[in-house]
Amino acid sequence: MVHVGKSYPIHDALGKATGRTVYAGDMELKGMLHMAVLFSKIPHGFVKKLDYSKAMELPGVVDVLYYGNTCQKEYNRYHSQYRQDLIHTERIFNQHVRFVGDRIAAVVATTEEIARKAVSLIEVEYEEYSFALDAHETLEGKIDNMDEHGSVFGSIANEVGTRPENDGTFVEVDTTTHIDRINHMAMETHAAVAEFDSQGELTIYSPNQTVYGIRSFIADLFDMDYNKVRVVKTTMGGSFGGKQEWVLEPLVAAAALRVKRPVKLVYNREESIRSTYCRAPMYFKNKFTFTPDGKLQDVDCDLLLDAGAYLGNSINYARTLGSKFFRTYRYPHETFHAQVALTNTIVSGAFRGWSSPEFNINFEHGMNMAARKLGIDPIELRLKNVIHEGDIELSTGLNLGDFKGRQVLELGREKFDWENRKKEIAEFNAQNKRYKRGMGVSLGGHVNGFYPAKPDYTRVDMCVTESGTVRCGVTLHDHGCGTVTAFKMIAAEELGIEVDQVRIQEGDTAVTPQDFVGCFSSRTTYVMGRATQECAKLLKERIKEHFAVERGCDVADVVLDGMTVYSTKEPDVVYTWSDLVYASQQRYQHEIFASYEYVSKDNPGVCGGHFAYVEVDTYTGMVKILDYLAVQDIGQAINREICIAQTQGASVMGAGAALTEHVHYRPNGVPFANLKDYHLLNSFEAPSVRVELIENHNTEGPFGAKTIGEVCHVPASAAVVGAVNDALQSDLNDLPLTPDKITAYLKNREER
C-alpha cells in the first residue's frame, strides 16, 4: 500500500505548533458575551433564597440565569441519540442541589472577569440535608430524598452459559476490587459557545463526540425544530470520554436563547474536575472457579457502581461492563449482578474504554490470584483460557474472527524476556530487603462498534472538485489524535491519489452527513473508515462512468491512473480528473459524486497484551516502572506512528490510574479539585513504552484494520497492579495503589 501503514502528521499539526489553531475557548463572535457559573458549596440541600441583585448592579452584567427563569425540564446528560430511553433527573440549574459543584445560577456579562466577579456577589441561603459520599452509605439509607426515582437502581443482572458440575476438585478464588473516581484530565478544559441568530437558528460550537446527538438533545430540551439547531464540532484538545456527555452545551444554549447574543462558557481546571464528570468508583466481589490444571469454569461477579449525584450513563455503563465477560477468555458460565447507587459526589460518566478497563482491572486480578494459588505462570494460565481464532462469543453468538490473543501473549513473552526476567527478579528480591521487583501481564479485549447491541450505520459522501481533488463528507469527531488524517489516508489509498488531495472537515449538522451514532464504542475507524473506503470505490466507478459517456467507450475499458483517466482502446487520450469534471458540468450537467451508506454487521475480537516490570520501595511505598511493553492486535495500522503514540499515551494513562490518580473528598463533601492534590504521572515518572503491532489485515475494517484508541488502554492498569502484587506477593486491588496504601498493607502484614 502507498499510504496506509505509513506515518503522516495530523491534519492540524502546523496550526497547533504555531498557536493558530482555534479551540472553542478561543472563539470570538460579534457581540459575544461571557458566562460564569455559580456552584453549590454544600453536598446536599435546598436553595431557600437566591439574591442576585448585587450581581445585576455590576457594570457589564447583562443577565443572571437561575432555576427560576430558565427551562426546568428534566434531562439526562448522556442523551446521545434520538428518542433514547433514559431516566431524566437533571436540570440546567438546580434548586435541590446534590453535590458540591452542582449548578445553581450563572451570570452573563461582557467579559469573563466581570461574570466571575458577579457570581461572587450572589447570595445563597441553603437548607442542608444529610449526604452520602460513598455508595455503601447510600445502601445503608444515609440519603433517602435524592431523587423521585430513588437512590438505588439494582435490576442489572445476567447469566450466560451452563454452570459445570463441580466434581470436588474445582479450585475457587475469591477476590475483591475497588477502583476510585478519576478525571479525564484532557489538556483542553470544557468549553462551549452558543449563538441564536435573527432567523431563529441556534448554533452550538463545542468539542464533542456526536454533533447529531447534541442536536437531538438541545432540540428536545428546548422544544425546538431539529432544523433550527445546528451543532459544529470544534477542535478538541483531548476527550478520553470526557466530552461525550452534555454539561456546558445546555447552559450556553439557555443563555443565548435568553439574551439573543452569542455566549461563551469556559470552565477552569477546578471546575472541569469538580463540576463535569469522572470515571465511576466501583466495588467488585468475585468468585472464580478453575480446574486444578487451570481451566476457567465459572465466574460470579457482583458490582456496586457509584453514580454520583445524577444518574447519567451509570445504568448503561454497568450493563455494558456486564457484557464484556467473553471478549478475551472462553469458559462455560458466568453470572453478573450490579447495583447503581446515587451519592452526593461528582457525577460519574464515560471514560476511555467505556467499562472495559474497569472490567479488566477486576478480571485480570482474579487471573493473577488464581495463577498464584494454582502454581501456574500467569502467561501460561491465560494461554490455557484465551479465545482462539474463530471462537464464538458465548454471550452474543458472534464469531470473534481473527482474534490474536494467543499471538499477543506469546510475542509479549518473547519481547519482554519473561522467562529470564523471572529468574533475575527472584535473585534480586532474595538479595534486597528494601526494594522488591515484579512483573505483571494483562490481556484486555474490546469492541469495534455497537453491533449487535444496536444499529450501527453511517453515510459518506464524496465528490470531485473542479481542480480534480476530492471533497469527502463524513461526520468525524477528531479528539486531537489524528482521525482526520487517518481518513484522508483511507480515501487517498483507495482512490490512488495523494493524501493532501483529499479534503475532510469534522462534524457539522448543517454540512456533514447524518451519523446518529457518534464517536462511541471504538466505531470510528472500523465502521466509518470502511464506509469511507467503500464510498471511494464507488466514486472511482462514477469517474469511469462519466469518462465512458464522454468518450463513448465501454466502462470496462476505462483505467484510472492517479488523477488521470483513459481508455485502453485509445490510451493516448488522457483526461485529468479536472478535465472530466469540466466536461461533465458543461456538456452533461452532472456532478461527479458518490454517496454510500454502510451498515456494520460484525464485531470481531480485538485485544492488547501489556507487560509491566516494576520496582517497589517497601519503606516509602513508591513504585517505579522499569520497563513496559504493549502488544496490540490491530489488524492493520492506518497511520502507524499515531497508533504507536495512542498506545503509549494510553499505557501512561492506565499506569496513572493504577498508582496515583483519584479525586478524593474531605468529610464535609468538598472534593480536592486541583492538580496539587490530583497526582498525574509526571514525565520523569512515566515509563518508556515499547509497542508491537500484530497486523494480519483479515477483518471487515478498512484495509483490514481494527480498533486501537480504546483497546490500547484496556490492559494498562491491570498490568501495573499485577506487577506490584508480584513484587510484594500481595493481593492489593484497591486503586490507586498509593504509597500510603502500600505501606499500610505491608505494616499490617508484618504485624500479623
Side-chain angles (χ1 to χ4, degrees):
M1 290 183 282
V2 176
H3 305 300
V4 168
K6 307 301 188 299
S7 297
Y8 288 82
I10 61 175
H11 71 288
D12 55 359
L14 180 61
K16 288 174 176 173
T18 58
R20 296 175 63 188
T21 297
V22 176
Y23 294 84
D26 300 319
M27 290 183 64
E28 293 294 337
L29 302 178
K30 184 178 180 180
M32 177 176 281
L33 299 172
H34 299 261
M35 194 175 192
V37 178
L38 173 67
F39 301 100
S40 171
K41 294 183 178 180
I42 65 169
H44 193 200
F46 190 81
V47 178
K48 295 169 59 177
K49 182 179 179 181
L50 183 76
D51 184 352
Y52 56 86
S53 58
K54 292 179 182 177
M56 286 297 297
E57 292 170 359
L58 190 68
V61 171
V62 175
D63 202 357
V64 174
L65 285 71
Y66 72 112
Y67 49 81
N69 61 9
T70 53
C71 172
Q72 281 293 285
K73 183 187 294 185
E74 290 187 335
Y75 62 84
N76 189 305
R77 62 174 63 196
Y78 173 54
H79 176 125
S80 57
Q81 293 183 9
Y82 176 56
R83 295 188 179 181
Q84 194 171 2
D85 184 18
L86 297 167
I87 297 174
H88 296 175
T89 62
E90 191 170 2
R91 294 182 174 92
I92 299 173
F93 299 106
N94 300 288
Q95 190 172 14
H96 177 182
V97 292
R98 305 188 186 191
F99 71 108
V100 173
D102 207 347
R103 301 179 304 275
I104 299 174
V107 173
V108 178
T110 53
T111 69
E112 181 181 353
E113 292 75 15
I114 293 173
R116 288 188 176 275
K117 183 175 180 180
V119 162
S120 70
L121 298 176
I122 299 176
E123 298 175 359
V124 182
E125 183 181 337
Y126 300 99
E127 177 183 350
E128 298 193 36
Y129 301 152
S130 62
F131 58 90
L133 301 180
D134 180 88
H136 293 100
E137 294 180 341
T138 303
L139 295 183
E140 293 164 2
K142 193 168 183 181
I143 50 173
D144 60 4
N145 59 342
M146 274 278 281
D147 190 86
E148 65 180 24
H149 302 92
S151 298
V152 180
F153 303 82
S155 60
I156 305 162
N158 65 54
E159 181 174 5
V160 178
T162 303
R163 190 189 306 272
E165 184 175 347
N166 192 335
D167 62 3
T169 66
F170 286 1
V171 178
E172 294 182 347
V173 179
D174 295 317
T175 64
T176 60
T177 295
H178 169 232
I179 60 175
D180 211 339
R181 62 176 53 81
I182 59 176
N183 190 269
H184 309 85
M185 288 298 168
M187 292 183 70
E188 177 195 26
T189 60
H190 287 70
V193 173
E195 180 178 22
F196 187 62
D197 65 22
S198 58
Q199 299 180 61
E201 180 174 290
L202 177 67
T203 300
I204 307 289
Y205 303 89
S206 77
N208 66 78
Q209 293 182 217
T210 169
V211 291
Y212 281 97
I214 295 178
R215 185 185 69 166
S216 64
F217 169 71
I218 293 293
D220 290 351
L221 180 60
F222 295 101
D223 298 316
M224 296 181 68
D225 188 308
Y226 278 39
N227 276 332
K228 292 294 186 179
V229 179
R230 176 189 179 192
V231 182
V232 180
K233 192 272 180 187
T234 58
T235 300
M236 181 185 287
S239 173
F240 314 116
K243 291 164 185 170
Q244 63 173 242
E245 298 173 39
W246 320 129
V247 183
L248 274 63
E249 288 83 358
L251 275 69
V252 292
L257 288 169
R258 184 171 168 84
V259 302
K260 306 297 189 291
R261 287 170 63 180
V263 178
K264 178 166 68 174
L265 173 60
V266 181
Y267 275 4
N268 60 30
R269 181 61 64 186
E270 180 182 354
E271 292 164 342
S272 286
I273 296 174
R274 183 193 61 200
S275 301
T276 57
Y277 57 97
C278 290
R279 189 175 80 176
M282 297 184 188
Y283 305 85
F284 295 87
K285 291 183 179 179
N286 315 278
K287 185 183 293 295
F288 296 84
T289 304
F290 289 82
T291 61
D293 63 349
K295 294 300 293 291
L296 182 58
Q297 299 298 298
D298 190 18
V299 179
D300 187 355
C301 176
D302 188 87
L303 166 66
L304 174 60
L305 185 148
D306 184 336
Y310 294 99
L311 196 56
N313 74 357
S314 289
I315 290 177
N316 302 65
Y317 209 80
R319 186 179 292 120
T320 300
L321 188 147
S323 72
K324 301 292 176 68
F325 279 83
F326 297 98
R327 273 268 141 180
T328 311
Y329 300 109
R330 56 180 187 173
Y331 49 97
H333 182 261
E334 64 89 10
T335 54
F336 173 74
H337 175 261
Q339 287 182 298
V340 172
L342 296 173
T343 60
N344 301 108
T345 60
I346 299 166
V347 181
S348 296
F351 202 92
R352 187 178 190 175
W354 234 89
S355 81
S356 288
E358 299 95 309
F359 169 82
N360 187 259
I361 289 165
N362 180 57
F363 201 99
E364 289 295 280
H365 180 63
M367 295 295 283
N368 288 334
M369 295 302 101
R372 184 184 299 171
K373 189 169 185 177
L374 294 167
I376 300 175
D377 177 86
I379 293 180
E380 284 300 324
L381 183 66
R382 287 163 172 81
L383 288 170
K384 284 176 178 287
N385 294 285
V386 70
I387 287 169
H388 293 184
E389 295 176 25
D391 273 2
I392 302 300
E393 186 178 27
L394 191 61
S395 55
T396 62
L398 276 176
N399 188 316
L400 293 175
D402 202 15
F403 179 78
K404 294 296 185 182
R406 173 171 292 276
Q407 291 87 336
V408 162
L409 290 168
E410 290 175 341
L411 181 62
R413 177 166 59 183
E414 173 195 340
K415 296 291 185 180
F416 208 60
D417 199 18
W418 182 270
E419 297 302 329
N420 287 328
R421 275 192 172 158
K422 281 201 300 186
K423 298 174 185 176
E424 294 171 2
I425 286 170
E427 293 174 0
F428 180 90
N429 289 344
Q431 296 170 10
N432 288 271
K433 180 181 179 181
R434 176 173 177 176
Y435 297 99
K436 299 296 180 181
R437 291 181 176 178
M439 287 192 301
V441 57
S442 171
L443 183 67
H446 197 49
V447 294
N448 302 269
F450 282 112
Y451 181 84
K454 54 185 171 182
D456 195 346
Y457 78 96
T458 194
R459 190 180 98 231
V460 178
D461 300 332
M462 287 187 186
C463 70
V464 184
T465 70
E466 290 83 348
S467 58
T469 54
V470 172
R471 186 171 71 248
C472 177
V474 53
T475 301
L476 295 183
H477 301 83
D478 194 317
H479 296 193
C481 56
T483 302
V484 170
T485 296
F487 272 63
K488 291 172 67 174
M489 292 169 68
I490 291 168
E493 185 71 49
E494 186 60 48
L495 292 167
I497 61 179
E498 295 302 314
V499 172
D500 61 5
Q501 292 168 335
V502 178
R503 182 185 186 275
I504 298 179
Q505 74 175 75
E506 297 191 64
D508 179 342
T509 57
V511 177
T512 58
Q514 169 72 267
D515 182 69
F516 81 93
V517 185
C519 183
F520 300 86
S521 199
S522 290
R523 65 181 290 270
T524 298
T525 297
Y526 192 77
V527 177
M528 302 176 74
R530 178 59 186 271
T532 299
Q533 184 183 5
E534 292 301 319
C535 190
K537 289 180 182 178
L538 186 58
L539 183 64
K540 290 193 295 185
E541 294 305 310
R542 295 287 182 267
I543 294 170
K544 291 179 180 180
E545 291 166 5
H546 280 263
F547 185 80
V549 170
E550 167 68 7
R551 298 303 303 171
C553 62
D554 195 316
V555 172
D557 296 327
V558 179
V559 176
L560 297 181
D561 183 8
M563 298 182 75
T564 62
V565 55
Y566 62 90
S567 168
T568 56
K569 301 299 185 182
E570 45 179 359
D572 294 335
V573 180
V574 179
Y575 279 44
T576 66
W577 289 9
S578 179
D579 294 335
L580 190 58
V581 168
Y582 178 82
S584 297
Q585 289 179 348
Q586 297 299 318
R587 284 194 279 277
Y588 309 106
Q589 292 80 55
H590 284 301
E591 182 182 15
I592 304 178
F593 76 96
S595 183
Y596 190 89
E597 288 186 301
Y598 178 74
V599 179
S600 178
K601 293 182 178 179
D602 77 337
N603 200 332
V606 60
C607 68
H610 288 207
F611 302 77
Y613 179 31
V614 306
E615 181 177 275
V616 183
D617 183 339
T618 62
Y619 290 7
T620 67
M622 298 293 290
V623 177
K624 180 188 295 184
I625 301 175
L626 304 175
D627 193 15
Y628 196 102
L629 171 68
V631 183
Q632 296 292 149
D633 164 26
I634 192 173
Q636 168 63 58
I638 301 298
N639 191 336
R640 187 167 302 277
E641 283 302 319
I642 294 300
C643 292
I644 292 171
Q646 278 267 44
T647 305
Q648 290 170 329
S651 301
V652 174
M653 175 181 280
L659 298 176
T660 65
E661 293 188 42
H662 67 137
V663 181
H664 53 291
Y665 270 80
R666 299 174 177 88
N668 63 357
V670 178
F672 290 87
N674 56 68
L675 289 175
K676 178 176 71 70
D677 298 296
Y678 188 97
H679 299 299
L680 292 162
L681 287 184
N682 294 318
S683 58
F684 74 91
E685 299 171 297
S688 177
V689 179
R690 295 183 285 133
V691 179
E692 295 283 343
L693 303 177
I694 295 179
E695 299 172 276
N696 58 302
H697 321 100
N698 191 22
T699 76
E700 292 299 312
F703 304 100
K706 291 195 272 192
T707 178
I708 188 64
E710 289 187 292
V711 69
C712 60
H713 180 237
V714 174
S717 293
V720 174
V721 172
V724 171
N725 281 321
D726 182 54
L728 301 176
Q729 289 300 292
S730 55
D731 60 355
L732 293 164
N733 210 29
D734 180 2
L735 271 60
L737 301 184
T738 61
D740 287 348
K741 289 179 183 177
I742 290 174
T743 52
Y745 175 89
L746 294 174
K747 181 181 179 182
N748 290 337
R749 186 169 70 178
E750 189 175 287
E751 291 175 349
R752 291 199 303 267

